[in-house]
Amino acid sequence: MEIPTGDSIRAARKDNGLTQSDLAERAGVSQPLIARIESEDVDPTIDTLYSIVSALNDSSSKLEQEEVQISMPSVLKDARSQAGYTQSELAKVQYLTKHPRLAVSEA
């Protein structure tokens, strides 16, 4: 499944009868952040997207869970692909981020 877009988040929010403030409160983020995500002025973190989608999934509407639900493995795979990393390249980048002393400088 693909990473949700600002338009898909807005549509799901409206289908659930939620205001931006309602969704923000449920997701534990600010209303201005929801507005910026919906207008695609900002690229939210995976954690933020997960919180928003979880809040939409927990709302009591007729919206089918499958329409909104995403899984973290698919989001990570999409993000990795968009960044142009293979699994091993991403693992190496993540490892070097956690262990910067092991990174070899290019001089």
Side-chain angles (χ1 to χ4, degrees):
M1 182 172 261
E2 295 181 16
I3 296 174
T5 64
D7 287 338
S8 65
I9 290 171
R10 180 185 302 109
R13 175 182 59 79
K14 288 183 177 185
D15 286 347
N16 281 286
L18 299 172
T19 65
Q20 288 180 344
S21 295
D22 294 335
L23 179 55
E25 184 177 328
R26 290 177 184 208
V29 299
S30 68
Q31 179 276 323
L33 180 58
I34 296 293
R36 292 185 68 203
I37 291 169
E38 288 184 355
S39 63
E40 298 182 356
D41 288 339
V42 66
D43 290 326
T45 65
I46 290 174
D47 288 339
T48 299
L49 279 176
Y50 185 78
S51 295
I52 291 169
V53 170
S54 293
L56 289 168
N57 287 338
D58 290 340
S59 64
S60 58
S61 79
K62 297 176 186 170
L63 182 69
E64 302 246 352
Q65 293 287 325
E66 295 167 6
E67 291 181 37
V68 180
Q69 244 172 5
I70 60 171
S71 68
M72 288 312 292
S74 67
V75 169
L76 292 173
K77 182 179 178 184
D78 288 345
R80 178 181 55 79
S81 295
Q82 288 177 5
Y85 286 117
T86 64
Q87 283 183 321
S88 60
E89 289 170 336
L90 184 59
K92 182 178 178 182
V93 168
Q94 179 63 21
Y95 181 78
L96 294 177
T97 301
K98 288 185 176 184
H99 306 285
R101 287 181 256 163
L102 299 177
V104 178
S105 65
E106 297 178 26

